[in-house]
Amino acid sequence: FSLKELHGIFPWLVESIFGSLDGIIVGWNLRCLQGRTNPNEYSVALDFLDPSGPMMKLVYKLQAEEYRYDFPVSYLPGPVKASIQEQVLPECSLYHNKVQFPSSGGLGLNLALNPFEYYMFYFAISLITQKNSPATHHVSPSNSAYFILVDTYLKCFLPTEGSVLPPPSSNPGGAIPSPTPRSPAVPFSSYGMHHTSLLKRHIAHQPSVNADPASQEIWRSETLLQIFVEMWLHHYSLEMYQKMQSPHVKLEVLHYRLSISSKHHGSPAQSSYQALHAYQESFKPTEEHVLVVRLLVKHLHAFSNSLKPEPLSPSAHSHTASPLEEFKRVVIPRFVQEKLYIFLQHCFGHWPLDASFRAVLEMWLSYLQPWRYAPEKPPQSTEPLPRSVSDKWAAFIQENLLMYTKLFVGFLNRALRTDLVSPKNALMVFRVAKVFAQPNLAEMILKGEQLFLEPELVIPHRQHRLFMSPTLGGSFLSSRSPAVTDASFKVKSHVYSLEGQDFQYKQMFGAEVRNLVLKLAQLICQAQQTAKSISDHSAETMASQSFFSWFRFTPSEVNGSYTGNDLDEIGQDSIKKTDEYLEKALEYLCQIFKLSEAQLTQMMMKCGTAQDENGKKQLPDCIASENGLILTPLGRYQIINGLRRFELQYQGDTELQPIRSYESAALVRLLFRLCSLLNHRFADQMEMLCSREDFVGRLCRYHLTNPQLAQKIRYSPVVRDRTSHNWGPRISLRFLASYRTLISLLMIYFFASWFHIGPVGCTFIILIGYFLYAVIMTFFFEGWKPHEH
């Protein structure tokens, strides 16, 4: 094919691979393609899309001719799309000089992208647009072809060792030129000062472009990272996030939602906060999305930590620092920090309270621990002691203070609303507590808070605004940024740049957060008690499920309790795991916040989780009132989690109670009809016999049981004032429908056959024996009523 023909089919080819932007065309469905299920297609796709494969060779071939391809602005993330449509230039240099007016008769704005940008835009955005694939939930995201390609591209264009591999070129000794600046086709204003790309700044200081080939190729690294960050993280702008933190704005958004639900489209709130509502609700990341972002975070830590140590001589540094090395120095604070923080805040606030939050949690914990991806190896030790966090990471912790403190508070608020008896939820609490309990980490976080709380010097507004934006030309981690020696000022600029000047900081080691930790510790103790009671209940159930257990009538069969969790289905091993997770999490929390044993004991006493010897006989916490017993919030928690329960007893007509598992349904219904017929026909005669005062009357009262309740029961308020019913004397044969009774009769007939006694004779002996037993019981225990049992 000629270049002109390749230029024409390139957009069609990209769309055929990654799918259309509207999600209608699925393409190759790389997110569901796995080597385990489709090995041939999997290997072909990876080879074709490899950085050195045919597709990238085509990209570089078209790149050499400086072709441009239109990408609709309407499919960009919400904040970028809104700013471009309002003719406000985004801060990211990725969009500079690329926005084009639509052609005559065209609709909407477009970005004029070079082939590499166009390819990577489609690759990155396919993670967001292709959401409705029916097979997505049946595959493991980390084994998909898409996940492997993301990892491959990151390793190729953001290498931790060596430099970026040069692209293949058809010209010997030649190189693919970097994109040339183009004049803007639309008159745009800007957010303010925007940073120039690292590539442009380095070329400006180079005597010749060809003198340093690395300066030519860093544009691919920077472009790749910017595209990934913009497509995956930039769905909630910093300005909108800061506005959303205002209580006044939150109230206005609530009014807006109410106006939408009531269809009052003329309300002022709609025009003022429509964009606010759209930004807040439109972005719903998936678990796969979060896993890919975690892969990006882990690789960026490894990429940044591969930075070579700076020379002692400043002059030597200025001559030897390559563009890639400077890119490593500023990659996290300039490109990732702000957008990742807002992304995490959105996930912490909107993610469902279920076990799928584990993906968000692990991504957050990966960002908090850059030392895990450092090249140095930990010292070998025979003792399994936790590795202490080195003091050299203090600057990172201070300049990411909100990532540690505010998000920790957000996690506490989530944990307080989850069922910690669930093993998956217990594991998440354990993971967070274990990470924050690493030696020296809590001390460095506390030091960062102390630096932030130091008295602030009076700083001119213009200068303060310039420094506190990490997206400006010089990063505060870069040696080329203005020299700032005040660590306190660095921390303040980090906090205020992300949360705004009016932000009220909540100390992680302050009294308010400490109370939240105590509440969490209280819930952990309650969850441990719940797991223990469930474990005991499961053990008793297992013991009672023997071969003859279904012959017996036990209270547990009638008054079974609902445990409110999945531990019964998981088994005893997972119950033990849950207890271990909670016990270690409580230990770690005590280490982090210096909680004493006396505090924990006092807290458990206040909680009221102390139980009696078997842990099940106490009633739930309730208050006696004129209408009966009223559950307290603690009582509701105890019932929901299976800690305590009311002893339930059937209070209705004993003949109409539900059929038990130990009864034959057919016999119960048949005997009920027979007894109903006899009771209806001989009701007057039975009433007359039972009214006699002689021995015959006493014997009839013993057999023709009156089911009226004789003892007082603690009713709930609904049935407390119920009118008592007296059904009168009647015949009840329901006991003959019990499997236990039937098996007992069969065994009696079986043993009687050994003594050559036939069924008729055996039945006569049983009736005579029962009559003698009834006579004796009539003399001594007239009040005892067997038909109630």
Side-chain angles (χ1 to χ4, degrees):
F1 292 97
S2 65
L3 277 177
K4 189 173 182 180
E5 292 175 324
L6 294 175
H7 167 63
I9 67 172
F10 181 69
W12 168 84
L13 180 59
V14 171
E15 189 174 85
S16 300
I17 295 173
F18 300 122
S20 59
L21 296 175
D22 54 12
I24 297 177
I25 300 176
V26 180
W28 290 6
N29 202 9
L30 297 174
R31 294 166 53 229
C32 300
L33 187 61
Q34 292 196 329
R36 196 162 37 92
T37 55
N38 304 98
N40 294 332
E41 293 88 342
Y42 177 81
S43 59
V44 168
L46 291 184
D47 292 340
F48 185 76
L49 301 177
D50 189 80
S52 58
M55 188 65 187
M56 291 304 295
K57 290 180 180 178
L58 172 62
V59 169
Y60 295 135
K61 195 172 185 179
L62 296 173
Q63 183 79 26
E65 300 298 323
E66 299 188 8
Y67 284 116
R68 292 294 183 268
Y69 302 92
D70 289 339
F71 187 93
V73 170
S74 58
Y75 290 104
L76 293 175
V80 178
K81 177 176 64 177
S83 63
I84 292 178
Q85 290 174 346
E86 296 169 3
Q87 296 193 355
V88 177
L89 188 64
E91 290 178 344
C92 181
S93 62
L94 183 66
Y95 306 106
H96 295 177
N97 303 324
K98 291 184 174 66
V99 182
Q100 302 291 321
F101 272 131
S103 58
S104 58
L107 298 176
L109 296 170
N110 294 313
L111 295 180
L113 304 177
N114 63 50
F116 183 82
E117 293 169 338
Y118 187 80
Y119 174 84
M120 286 301 172
F121 260 80
Y122 262 87
F123 174 76
I125 208 169
S126 64
L127 179 65
I128 311 297
T129 57
Q130 304 291 332
K131 285 187 176 181
N132 300 322
S133 175
T136 302
H137 59 280
H138 295 299
V139 300
S140 173
S142 59
N143 295 326
S144 67
Y146 187 88
F147 194 89
I148 300 300
L149 281 173
V150 171
D151 186 50
T152 303
Y153 289 155
L154 289 175
K155 291 178 179 177
C156 176
F157 298 109
L158 300 172
T160 56
E161 296 181 359
S163 59
V164 183
L165 293 177
S169 175
S170 57
N171 299 325
I176 303 300
S178 61
T180 56
R182 308 181 72 216
S183 59
V186 182
F188 277 92
S189 59
S190 176
Y191 285 138
M193 293 183 59
H194 56 81
H195 71 278
T196 57
S197 70
L198 290 169
L199 169 66
K200 294 176 182 176
R201 291 195 290 112
H202 273 276
I203 291 181
H205 292 85
Q206 293 288 341
S208 172
V209 172
N210 295 327
D212 188 1
S215 65
Q216 280 191 318
E217 301 310 324
I218 192 178
W219 70 266
R220 290 183 297 159
S221 304
E222 187 175 353
T223 300
L224 175 86
L225 179 61
Q226 286 181 326
I227 292 174
F228 283 179
V229 170
E230 289 294 309
M231 296 299 106
W232 298 341
L233 300 180
H234 195 192
H235 293 264
Y236 207 19
S237 69
L238 175 64
E239 292 77 12
M240 196 57 58
Y241 166 75
Q242 292 176 351
K243 289 179 182 179
M244 287 301 302
Q245 305 312 302
S246 168
H248 172 72
V249 173
K250 289 180 180 179
L251 182 62
E252 292 294 338
V253 171
L254 177 60
H255 290 166
Y256 170 76
R257 291 175 177 175
L258 294 176
S259 69
I260 290 297
S261 61
S262 59
K263 299 186 183 302
H264 292 163
H265 295 287
S267 62
Q270 182 181 0
S271 58
S272 301
Y273 293 95
Q274 186 172 8
L276 229 119
H277 177 270
Y279 282 157
Q280 186 187 23
E281 298 295 336
S282 61
F283 179 43
K284 297 178 181 178
T286 62
E287 187 174 353
E288 180 187 10
H289 182 171
V290 173
L291 291 175
V292 173
V293 173
R294 186 191 180 208
L295 176 65
L296 173 65
V297 168
K298 292 167 65 175
H299 185 83
L300 288 180
H301 274 318
F303 178 68
S304 180
N305 290 334
S306 65
L307 178 67
K308 298 177 182 178
E310 294 186 7
L312 298 177
S313 172
S315 60
H317 169 75
S318 61
H319 290 290
T320 59
S322 67
L324 187 62
E325 292 299 302
E326 183 174 351
F327 188 48
K328 292 178 180 180
R329 186 178 298 109
V330 301
V331 62
I332 290 180
R334 176 180 296 171
F335 295 99
V336 179
Q337 184 190 60
E338 173 192 300
K339 294 181 176 66
L340 180 63
Y341 174 74
I342 299 172
F343 178 84
L344 284 170
Q345 281 282 58
H346 182 86
C347 291
F348 272 60
H350 296 80
W351 202 275
L353 291 171
D354 57 20
S356 65
F357 185 72
R358 174 78 185 278
V360 179
L361 187 80
E362 293 298 337
M363 186 255 289
W364 171 50
L365 296 180
S366 295
Y367 184 82
L368 297 186
Q369 304 176 86
W371 47 87
R372 290 184 57 192
Y373 312 101
E376 64 266 13
K377 300 294 183 182
Q380 298 294 331
S381 175
T382 57
E383 300 180 3
L385 296 176
R387 182 184 177 188
S388 177
V389 181
S390 173
D391 290 335
K392 76 173 187 176
W393 300 106
F396 178 87
I397 294 171
Q398 292 167 10
E399 292 159 0
N400 291 271
L401 185 64
L402 290 175
M403 288 281 195
Y404 291 89
T405 59
K406 189 173 181 183
L407 291 180
F408 179 81
V409 175
F411 174 76
L412 285 180
N413 291 324
R414 288 185 60 93
L416 290 173
R417 292 177 288 163
T418 56
D419 178 17
L420 298 184
V421 185
S422 171
K424 296 178 180 178
N425 292 335
L427 176 60
M428 287 192 284
V429 176
F430 164 75
R431 288 283 297 121
V432 173
K434 181 179 180 181
V435 168
F436 278 84
Q438 294 179 84
N440 202 32
L441 178 57
E443 289 76 7
M444 286 193 285
I445 296 175
L446 180 60
K447 176 63 177 177
E449 290 193 322
Q450 292 172 348
L451 291 172
F452 174 76
L453 296 174
E454 285 184 2
E456 185 174 3
L457 301 176
V458 178
I459 302 169
H461 176 74
R462 182 180 182 87
Q463 178 185 357
H464 186 64
R465 176 63 183 170
L466 176 63
F467 179 77
M468 71 183 197
S469 297
T471 56
L472 303 183
S475 166
F476 49 79
L477 287 187
S478 174
S479 62
R480 297 182 182 271
S481 62
V484 179
T485 58
D486 188 358
S488 174
F489 185 57
K490 286 185 177 182
V491 179
K492 292 177 191 293
S493 64
H494 154 71
V495 172
Y496 290 135
S497 66
L498 293 179
E499 292 289 345
Q501 298 289 341
D502 299 328
F503 175 61
Q504 299 295 323
Y505 183 75
K506 186 183 295 184
Q507 298 182 52
M508 178 175 168
F509 296 96
E512 186 176 351
V513 177
R514 189 179 182 85
N515 289 334
L516 290 178
V517 174
L518 288 174
K519 288 182 181 179
L520 179 60
Q522 189 177 31
L523 283 182
I524 290 175
C525 295
Q526 291 176 342
Q528 286 179 307
Q529 293 286 353
T530 303
K532 183 178 182 302
S533 66
I534 294 173
S535 177
D536 295 341
H537 174 73
S538 300
E540 291 178 3
T541 304
M542 296 273 296
S544 64
Q545 289 177 348
S546 60
F547 180 76
F548 292 101
S549 63
W550 57 291
F551 298 149
R552 293 195 306 270
F553 171 50
T554 59
S556 61
E557 291 172 320
V558 182
N559 301 324
S561 61
Y562 171 66
T563 60
N565 52 65
D566 55 352
L567 289 178
D568 285 333
E569 299 178 0
I570 296 176
Q572 292 291 327
D573 292 339
S574 292
I575 296 176
K576 293 178 182 179
K577 275 288 186 183
T578 300
D579 189 63
E580 292 176 5
Y581 290 147
L582 295 176
E583 183 177 355
K584 294 298 293 182
L586 192 59
E587 178 184 338
Y588 288 140
L589 289 175
C590 292
Q591 293 177 12
I592 298 168
F593 293 92
K594 306 297 189 291
L595 301 180
S596 62
E597 292 292 335
Q599 286 178 305
L600 293 179
T601 304
Q602 182 182 6
M603 176 185 56
M604 292 184 63
M605 293 178 63
K606 288 182 180 179
C607 177
T609 56
Q611 298 181 329
D612 57 3
E613 62 276 4
N614 58 8
K616 299 176 184 176
K617 298 301 183 183
Q618 289 186 354
L619 291 178
D621 191 65
C622 51
I623 301 173
S625 68
E626 60 181 7
N627 293 324
L629 299 177
I630 299 177
L631 282 174
T632 64
L634 177 59
R636 285 192 290 270
Y637 175 86
Q638 291 168 338
I639 289 179
I640 291 173
N641 290 278
L643 283 171
R644 300 181 186 178
R645 59 177 178 151
F646 288 104
E647 292 297 330
L648 303 179
Q649 186 172 355
Y650 183 77
Q651 302 297 329
D653 188 354
T654 54
E655 295 300 304
L656 299 177
Q657 60 183 320
I659 298 175
R660 311 296 188 191
S661 60
Y662 54 85
E663 292 179 322
S664 169
L667 281 178
V668 169
R669 296 186 179 99
L670 179 63
L671 293 173
F672 175 76
R673 293 188 186 127
L674 176 62
C675 292
S676 298
L677 179 63
L678 295 175
N679 291 331
H680 178 71
R681 183 167 185 176
F682 301 105
D684 295 336
Q685 291 85 337
M686 289 188 294
E687 186 70 34
M688 184 178 61
L689 287 173
C690 290
S691 62
R692 294 174 55 171
E693 297 296 334
D694 55 4
F695 176 78
V696 175
R698 295 169 61 188
L699 185 64
C700 289
R701 284 193 295 271
Y702 176 77
H703 287 282
L704 308 176
T705 302
N706 183 356
Q708 180 182 2
L709 295 177
Q711 58 181 354
K712 293 183 179 179
I713 308 292
R714 300 181 79 181
Y715 291 108
S716 67
V718 177
V719 298
R720 177 178 173 270
D721 299 326
R722 178 179 62 183
T723 304
S724 298
H725 296 277
N726 188 348
W727 289 278
R730 57 183 176 175
I731 298 173
S732 177
L733 299 177
R734 181 165 175 167
F735 69 96
L736 292 176
S738 170
Y739 291 130
R740 188 180 74 170
T741 303
L742 295 175
I743 294 297
S744 300
L745 290 175
L746 288 176
M747 293 180 66
I748 291 174
Y749 285 123
F750 177 72
F751 285 118
S753 65
W754 286 7
F755 298 97
H756 305 285
I757 301 176
V760 177
C762 184
T763 303
F764 181 76
I765 294 174
I766 292 174
L767 293 176
I768 294 295
Y770 181 76
F771 178 77
L772 294 176
Y773 174 78
V775 169
I776 296 173
M777 298 301 295
T778 301
F779 275 113
F780 299 102
F781 305 102
E782 180 186 358
W784 189 76
K785 296 177 173 54
H787 293 281
E788 294 180 9
H789 297 272

